[in-house]
């Protein structure tokens, strides 16, 4: 019997069997997958082999894991040297950002985009809570929309309070497995409550909003979409720790840099102060956004600081 993991809460997993039944599963034995150390051997989206443990109690044992098409991992917040696999076998990743309550920085968005590029998962960017944007946030949104669309990312403006932009976003998820990520309080669970009203996930109390983020969602969980496709809600995160990218390859994960790297004078150019750097020239000419270059430099420095 095989199954698909819909939720992982640590030692127990919710798995939908190939017959369409939701069961509680545990791991049998020790799993070592692809030689990577992760804090969670099995993640939401994994396809697994199952054996019945207790038929009447609906519990099963996970006895094997199928090859992953892909996965998204980030640095475990508690053990920096370990990976935390957020989800496996996904078709696209959605960065849910807000420009107010809370404000998502471009640095955070760019780290997420770099990570998606590195894991070969197409990414889209959503700016939610448009109903509370003032002129200055709308200007910022227009600026970021232009910047991201120019380099190939789709950008959406939504409000889950008014319903603005929701239909377009739903259309972009049809027949795909989409992973939603973003800070706590941006509206990830609210979105799922809109598209799957029967779920009614816990969301943050409006009156309790402190600007700090209380992480209402505590575990990643996958849901089936009515029209086909799946969506994975995740707990909000404060920072996005990038894993396994070397300084040398970082610029390959910036689409606007990738196409220009071969024009740099040195083939190991890090695009900082090397002579004949095509990336720096493009930034000076305005064909690469300064803000994106700034994110690049920041991420590069964070890789350098890592001593392992
Ligand atoms: N004004 C406004 N509030 C929104 C919108 N979308 C969601 N909210 C509110 O924002 C708060 C946080 O929403 P959640 O859906 O719980 O956020 P989350 O991203 O799931 O947060 P975590 O589970 O902590 O990661 C709730 O009070 C929502 O009602 C929106 O478009 N506009
Ligand atoms: Mg949530
Ligand atoms: Zn260069």
């Amino acid at each position: 019997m095989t199954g698909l993991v819909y939720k992982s809460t640590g030692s127990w997993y919710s798995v939908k069997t190939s017959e369409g039944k939701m069961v509680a599963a545990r791991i049998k034995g020790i799993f070592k997958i692809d030689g990577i150390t992760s804090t969670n051997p099995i993640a939401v989206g994994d396809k697994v082999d199952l054996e019945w443990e207790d038929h009447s109690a609906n519990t099963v044992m996970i006895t094997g894991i199928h090859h992953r098409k892909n996965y998204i991992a980030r640095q475990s917040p508690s053990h920096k040297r370990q990976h935390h696999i957020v989800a496996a076998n996904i078709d696209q990743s959605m960065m849910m950002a807000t420009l107010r309550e809370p404000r998502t920085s471009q640095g955070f968005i760019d780290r997420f985009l770099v990570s998606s590029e590195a894991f070969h998962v197409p990414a889209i960017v959503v700016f939610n809570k448009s109903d509370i944007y003032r002129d200055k946030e709308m200007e910022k949104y227009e600026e970021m929309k232009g910047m991201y669309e120019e380099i190939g990312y789709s950008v959406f403006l939504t409000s889950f309070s008014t319903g603005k932009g929701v239909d377009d976003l739903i259309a972009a998820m049809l027949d795909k497995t989409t992973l939603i990520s973003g800070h706590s309080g941006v509206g990830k669970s609210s979105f799922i409550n809109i598209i799957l009203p029967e779920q009614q996930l816990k969301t943050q109390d409006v009156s309790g909003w402190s600007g700090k983020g209380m992480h209402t969602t505590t575990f990643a969980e996958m849901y089936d979409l009515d029209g086909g496709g799946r969506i994975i809600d995740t707990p909000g995160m404060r920072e996005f720790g990038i894993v396994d990218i070397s300084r040398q390859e970082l610029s390959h994960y910036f689409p606007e840099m990738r196409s220009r790297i071969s024009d740099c004078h040195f083939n190991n150019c890090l695009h900082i102060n090397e002579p004949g750097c095509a990336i720096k020239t493009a930034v000076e000419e305005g064909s690469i956004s300064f803000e994106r270059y700034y994110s690049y430099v920041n991420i590069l420095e964070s890789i350098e600081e890592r001593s392992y």
Side-chain angles (χ1 to χ4, degrees), residues 65-216:
I65 175 169
H66 294 210
H67 175 75
R68 289 178 174 142
K69 175 177 89 171
N70 61 21
Y71 62 90
I72 288 229
R74 61 187 184 107
Q75 249 175 26
S76 156
S78 45
H79 307 274
K80 295 260 181 235
R81 281 157 188 259
Q82 282 194 312
H83 292 182
H84 177 81
I85 298 167
V86 185
N89 302 317
I90 54 183
D91 298 313
Q92 75 182 352
S93 63
M94 178 193 294
M95 162 56 33
M96 194 168 283
T98 45
L99 296 176
R100 254 190 106 180
E101 296 181 11
R103 197 186 70 83
T104 307
S105 71
Q106 187 185 328
F108 182 78
I109 299 173
D110 287 339
R111 278 183 165 262
F112 178 83
L113 294 177
V114 161
S115 194
S116 298
E117 294 281 342
F119 288 115
H120 307 289
V121 177
I124 62 175
V125 185
V126 177
F127 290 93
N128 185 38
K129 302 202 184 183
S130 64
D131 56 293
I132 56 167
Y133 291 1
R134 297 160 297 196
D135 288 351
K136 75 171 187 192
E137 282 89 21
M138 276 314 294
E139 269 167 39
K140 184 81 198 157
Y141 163 73
E142 292 297 343
E143 218 173 87
M144 289 175 112
K145 176 184 161 72
M147 179 184 71
Y148 286 124
E149 283 184 345
E150 194 177 326
I151 55 175
Y153 296 110
S154 295
V155 176
F156 297 82
L157 182 68
T158 59
S159 165
F160 303 144
S161 301
T162 66
K164 181 192 167 102
V166 170
D167 288 347
D168 288 346
L169 196 53
I170 291 175
M173 298 196 311
L174 194 66
D175 293 332
K176 290 180 177 146
T177 297
T178 303
L179 171 76
I180 314 186
S181 303
H183 285 314
S184 184
V186 295
K188 300 180 295 297
S189 299
S190 303
F191 179 46
I192 290 175
N193 285 342
I194 292 186
I195 48 179
L196 299 170
E198 68 279 11
Q199 291 291 344
Q200 285 318 311
L201 308 187
K202 260 176 87 175
T203 59
Q204 284 176 16
D205 188 344
V206 184
S207 62
W209 173 252
S210 63
K212 287 196 195 110
M214 294 166 293
H215 304 287
T216 307

Side-chain angles (χ1 to χ4, degrees), residues 227-300:
R230 298 187 182 93
I231 186 159
I232 303 171
D233 188 18
T234 63
M237 51 189 161
R238 234 177 264 282
E239 51 187 60
F240 197 93
I242 288 179
V243 295
D244 281 352
I245 295 179
S246 71
R247 303 178 69 207
Q248 200 57 64
E249 67 188 321
L250 179 62
S251 55
H252 294 258
Y253 303 129
F254 282 74
E256 70 274 50
M257 296 187 184
R258 191 159 52 216
S259 52
R260 292 178 164 98
I261 294 165
S262 56
D263 297 334
C264 289
H265 182 73
F266 296 104
N267 63 10
N268 61 350
C269 189
L270 288 175
H271 327 298
I272 297 297
N273 46 28
E274 296 89 340
C277 172
I279 302 301
K280 288 210 78 171
T281 304
V283 175
E284 278 152 23
E285 286 169 351
S287 40
I288 286 181
S289 136
F290 176 77
E291 282 75 20
R292 287 276 295 170
Y293 179 69
Y294 183 76
S295 286
Y296 168 79
V297 173
N298 269 329
I299 299 172
L300 191 75

Side-chain angles (χ1 to χ4, degrees), residues 31-57:
F31 278 77
K32 261 217 172 136
I33 297 152
D34 301 339
I36 55 169
T37 351
S38 79
T39 49
N40 55 333
I42 289 175
V44 170
D46 266 326
K47 215 171 174 194
V48 290
D49 293 320
L50 304 168
E51 264 170 32
W52 280 109
E53 185 183 41
D54 183 342
H55 229 294
S56 57

